[in-house]
Amino acid sequence: DTAVSQTPKYLVTQMGNDKSIKCEQNLGHDTMYWYKQDSKKFLKIMFSYNNKELIINETVPNRFSPKSPDKAHLNLHINSLELGDSAVYFCASSQNRGGNIQYFGAGTRLSVL
Amino acid sequence: QKEVEQNSGPLSVPEGAIASLNCTYSDRGSQSFFWYRQYSGKSPELIMFIYSNGDKEDGRFTAQLNKASQYVSLLIRDSQPSDSATYLCAVSSSNTGKLIFGQGTTLQVKP
């Protein structure tokens, strides 16, 4: 079983559409994260939830809205997609919020046309 | 000044040599330091983590931390072509678990 799984793996869509990416972890971790990796491979934190509570909310357009229905799941909904949203989005999890090792999912490659 | 800086490379070494990857960070309060390896088109994979000053060894990999100089490095001994990847340095300084990544160093190991 994959420890941190994301769906879909690829997402191709038109500008202006709304899309969601889902993430699930089966490691029993309390903390989950969303990262964005741009075309220059720079990996940047977007959001983090600890046991369903939002604890990191970086400077991200409010078109991006994370949701954590339980501590094993963290979803990312993106409204009104723009060309600049094209990137690879990684979900990660860690045992808790205290600087522990983070384990990454396989990533979702989003292409906005 | 970037929070975590790495030389983007590429760093090219011959097979069997030692590859040395370096990273500096700006936040003196940083407490946890990680090296991730990322193959092209894949997700970051943890290679090493270090919390205390000094060296930490795991197989062919050694992480070195010098908090006074705000410097962390990764040495790869007996480099193999399969080590060719981008190596990401990451630093955590808060109790939220927030990781700040460097831009990564591309390592090429030539047979």
Side-chain angles (χ1 to χ4, degrees):
Chain A
D1 272 352
T2 304
V4 182
S5 57
Q6 294 179 230
T7 54
K9 191 169 174 61
Y10 299 97
L11 192 49
V12 181
T13 188
Q14 299 288 330
M15 266 179 23
N17 284 349
D18 303 339
K19 290 294 178 186
S20 292
I21 307 171
K22 298 190 176 198
C23 180
E24 175 182 2
Q25 54 93 4
N26 63 5
L27 297 167
H29 288 169
D30 284 345
T31 311
M32 296 184 72
Y33 311 81
W34 279 115
Y35 287 86
K36 178 181 181 181
Q37 189 168 44
D38 60 25
S39 57
K40 294 183 179 177
K41 307 302 182 188
F42 188 58
L43 195 60
K44 189 165 181 185
I45 182 81
M46 299 174 69
F47 302 103
S48 176
Y49 274 76
N50 184 70
N51 207 2
K52 301 196 295 176
E53 176 192 358
L54 181 66
I55 58 170
I56 297 175
N57 186 356
E58 292 293 292
T59 308
V60 174
N62 57 15
R63 297 182 295 103
F64 289 78
S65 53
K67 278 199 174 65
S68 181
D70 55 62
K71 72 175 192 176
H73 296 84
L74 180 61
N75 303 323
L76 183 65
H77 187 76
I78 316 170
N79 288 327
S80 303
L81 278 155
E82 299 178 358
L83 293 176
D85 298 331
S86 296
V88 181
Y89 293 84
F90 286 103
C91 176
S93 74
S94 65
Q95 187 168 2
N96 53 50
R97 58 195 282 178
N100 298 126
I101 297 166
Q102 294 184 22
Y103 297 89
F104 284 78
T108 295
R109 184 173 295 275
L110 172 64
S111 298
V112 182
L113 307 177
Chain B
Q1 181 190 7
K2 291 180 185 172
E3 293 179 82
V4 179
E5 290 209 52
Q6 297 179 252
N7 187 327
S8 60
L11 172 66
S12 185
V13 300
E15 184 174 355
I18 295 175
S20 177
L21 301 135
N22 305 315
C23 172
T24 58
Y25 58 94
S26 60
D27 184 352
R28 283 198 172 274
S30 299
Q31 297 168 348
S32 308
F33 306 85
F34 305 88
W35 283 100
Y36 283 84
R37 177 176 64 197
Q38 187 174 26
Y39 292 112
S40 181
K42 300 295 185 183
S43 60
E45 170 195 11
L46 183 75
I47 297 297
M48 293 285 289
F49 64 92
I50 187 166
Y51 300 138
S52 306
N53 270 336
D55 294 1
K56 180 181 178 183
E57 187 174 319
D58 184 2
R60 296 186 297 113
F61 299 95
T62 298
Q64 298 175 316
L65 174 61
N66 184 326
K67 287 189 176 181
S69 300
Q70 295 174 244
Y71 175 90
V72 58
S73 65
L74 179 70
L75 299 177
I76 306 174
R77 287 181 299 282
D78 188 23
S79 295
Q80 301 297 309
S82 57
D83 294 327
S84 298
T86 297
Y87 288 80
L88 302 168
C89 173
V91 174
S92 176
S93 57
S94 73
N95 62 1
T96 61
K98 176 178 173 180
L99 279 184
I100 308 294
F101 282 85
Q103 69 267 43
T105 298
T106 299
L107 173 66
Q108 296 173 346
V109 180
K110 303 206 169 172

